[in-house]
């Protein structure tokens, strides 16, 4: 009994020692990234000071960095690194923010809860830098505009969000957006969302989006069915089924892919560090809808200051 107690105490001491070392290293990394982004934001915001006597205000910065490995039955080598930085500029009363990302603008082809591009085709990596102006922001509505560059192409976009509470347990979201790329031309997207609160910690969600553009013929569409569950304060899960395809195109109505997945997300080690494990099954058209199993492993760090 005493031997077991001593062994357990020794293990706890070793674990505490490791945690202490990790804490020092991880805290230093977090502060370095946060300070670097914050100082860059201060430098950028200083360009909008009207005169030398005006006092510079403190901006608010938020950064997200993600590392993901997505091995599949036919490809075990896909590794993705993603970052997204948002800076609120106080000299514009926080209505204007600078958004910097290595993804295309908001991934127009993705649904809100779509965690990763599991498509087998490897898309060209794109870089996006944009100024985002929020004209109106309330709990049930949002109207903003964006001007920037994505993948070397200049674009403008207008987006409106409106949420309707149908009952204490049901809500409906309508989100139309209009965008224009110099190279790709005019495009539009409509996102619809229905939420049903099953319990205090469980929700059922349906997403539907359609997107048209001068860049391609027909209309791209996507359905998403999700069961969200908050397991505890630091852990959550999502069961998902996504179906995507095209209509009114050269091939008429076609389903490109089915994706069935289970995402397990938890917060560990630090309050700003998150981990995800997501096994999934794909049924792509280009593989004759043959079952393609895979798993996504992700680490996300959030850095906030101001």
């Amino acid at each position: 009994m005493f031997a077991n107690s001593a062994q357990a105490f020794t293990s706890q001491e070793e674990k505490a020692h490791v945690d202490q070392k990790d804490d020092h290293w991880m805290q230093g990394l977090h502060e370095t990234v946060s300070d670097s982004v914050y100082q860059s934001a201060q430098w950028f915001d200083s360009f909008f000071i009207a005169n030398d006597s005006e006092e510079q205000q403190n901006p608010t910065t938020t950064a997200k960095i993600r590392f993901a490995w997505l091995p599949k039955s036919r490809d075990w080598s896909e590794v993705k690194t993603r970052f997204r930085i948002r800076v609120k500029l106080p000299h514009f009363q926080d209505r204007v923010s600078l958004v910097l990302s290595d993804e295309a603008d908001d991934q127009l082809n993705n649904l809100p809860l779509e965690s990763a591009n599991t498509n087998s085709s490897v898309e060209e990596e794109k870089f996006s830098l944009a100024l985002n102006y929020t004209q109106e922001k309330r709990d049930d509505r949002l109207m903003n505009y964006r001007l920037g560059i994505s993948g070397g192409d200049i674009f403008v976009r207008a987006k409106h969000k409106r949420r309707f509470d149908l009952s204490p347990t049901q809500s409906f979201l309508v989100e139309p957006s209009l965008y224009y790329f110099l190279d790709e031309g005019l495009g539009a997207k409509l996102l619809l969302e229905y939420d049903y609160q099953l319990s205090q910690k469980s929700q059922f969600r349906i997403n539907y989006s359609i997107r048209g553009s001068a860049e391609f013929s027909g209309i791209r569409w996507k359905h998403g069915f999700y069961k969200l569950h908050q397991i505890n304060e630091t852990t959550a899960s999502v069961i998902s089924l996504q179906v995507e395809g095209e209509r009114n195109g050269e091939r008429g109505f076609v389903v490109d892919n089915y994706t069935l997945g289970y995402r397990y997300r938890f917060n560990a080690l630090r309050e700003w560090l998150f981990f995800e494990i997501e096994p999934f099954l794909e049924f792509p058209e280009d593989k004759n809808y043959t079952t393609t199993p895979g798993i996504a492993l992700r680490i996300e760090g959030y850095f906030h200051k101001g």
Side-chain angles (χ1 to χ4, degrees), residues 279-290:
F280 60 86
L281 295 174
E282 276 190 332
F283 306 88
E285 182 205 9
D286 57 2
K287 298 294 189 298
N288 295 319
Y289 302 106
T290 303

Side-chain angles (χ1 to χ4, degrees), residues 37 61-65 83-87 98-101:
V37 175
T61 60
T62 304
K64 180 178 74 172
I65 300 177
F83 73 86
R84 185 177 181 84
I85 300 172
R86 177 182 289 270
V87 178
L98 181 69
V99 181
L100 177 67
S101 173

Side-chain angles (χ1 to χ4, degrees), residues 179-188 211-218:
Y179 55 90
Y180 179 79
F181 286 81
L182 286 184
D183 292 340
E184 300 175 1
L186 185 66
R211 184 168 66 98
S213 172
E215 181 190 12
F216 53 84
S217 63

Side-chain angles (χ1 to χ4, degrees), residues 10 25 28 47 73 75 77 82 100 136 148 163 184 203 207 210 214 237-238 243 253 257-258 277 291 293 299:
T10 303
W25 175 81
F47 285 98
S73 62
D75 183 9
S77 61
R82 289 286 181 257
L100 177 67
E136 182 182 21
R163 182 173 293 277
E184 300 175 1
Q203 184 186 88
N207 283 131
I210 53 174
S237 67
V238 180
V243 186
F253 181 86
N257 193 22
Y258 299 88
I277 302 172
T291 305
I299 301 176

Side-chain angles (χ1 to χ4, degrees), residues 2 72 110 114 129 141 183 200 240 252 256 264 298:
F2 290 103
K72 291 189 285 188
N110 285 359
E114 191 169 352
L129 175 65
R141 68 187 65 184
D183 292 340
Q200 188 175 2
S240 63
D256 290 339
Y264 181 80
R298 308 182 190 90

Side-chain angles (χ1 to χ4, degrees), residues 97-109:
S97 60
L98 181 69
V99 181
L100 177 67
S101 173
D102 67 343
E103 296 178 333
D105 178 56
D106 280 354
Q107 290 293 305
L108 290 167
N109 60 322

